């Protein structure tokens, strides 16, 4: 099933792209929950976090490394940041394309709601 993020990756729906390389594509969340709120998706399609259990170590590693590269590029390494995966119904996942939220630019509260 083609999702919103497939369309953003294909350039069919506009987004503010902050980074892309061979492995990942990153763009600003349209409804930011922090001064920096960026979504990172793997270029190689996966449905959600749970699909990583069937991924090769190379693909899973490439995605996670890509998330870390994006956070560095966003200038978040010095003060820190949070990476969130919303998974399924209780996790409030709304788009069925694997994505990590990078949140930063302010002190984040804990525990999350
Ligand atoms: P999730 O709830 O984890 O599935 O996250 C989906 C995220 O996509 C939400 O934080 C939305 O604000 C974000 N979103 C929805 N539509 C767009 C869009 N057109 N461009 C950028 N982000 C979007």
């Amino acid at each position: 099933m083609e999702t919103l993020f497939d369309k953003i990756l294909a350039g069919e729906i506009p987004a503010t792209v902050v980074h892309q390389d061979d492995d990942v594509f990153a763009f600003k969340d349209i409804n930011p929950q922090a001064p920096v709120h960026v979504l990172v998706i793997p270029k190689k399609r996966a449905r959600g976090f749970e699909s990583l259990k069937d991924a090769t170590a190379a693909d899973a590693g490439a995605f996670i490394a890509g998330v870390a590269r994006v956070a560095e590029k966003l200038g978040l390494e010095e003060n820190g940041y949070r990476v969130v995966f919303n998974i399924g119904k209780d996790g409030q996942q709304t788009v069925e394309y694997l994505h990590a939220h990078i949140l930063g630019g302010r002190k984040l509260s804990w525990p999350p709601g």
Side-chain angles (χ1 to χ4, degrees), residues 61-73:
F63 177 54
I64 295 299
V67 174
R69 277 198 300 279
V70 174
E72 179 190 32
K73 186 168 178 176

Side-chain angles (χ1 to χ4, degrees), residues 4-5 8 27-31 39 86 92-95 99 101:
L4 176 66
F5 293 172
I8 288 177
F27 52 98
K28 288 188 180 176
D29 195 294
I30 207 168
N31 183 22
L39 300 170
N86 292 329
Q92 303 237 26
Q93 181 182 358
T94 59
V95 181
H99 56 282
H101 296 251

Side-chain angles (χ1 to χ4, degrees), residues 18-60:
V18 298
H19 175 83
Q20 63 171 317
D21 57 36
D22 287 348
D23 300 315
V24 296
F25 183 85
F27 52 98
K28 288 188 180 176
D29 195 294
I30 207 168
N31 183 22
Q33 301 302 311
V36 179
H37 187 174
V38 164
L39 300 170
V40 187
I41 65 173
K43 283 200 166 161
K44 190 170 177 179
R45 191 178 198 295
R47 215 180 65 85
F49 185 83
E50 74 289 350
S51 63
L52 288 177
K53 64 180 182 275
D54 301 317
T56 65
D59 283 347

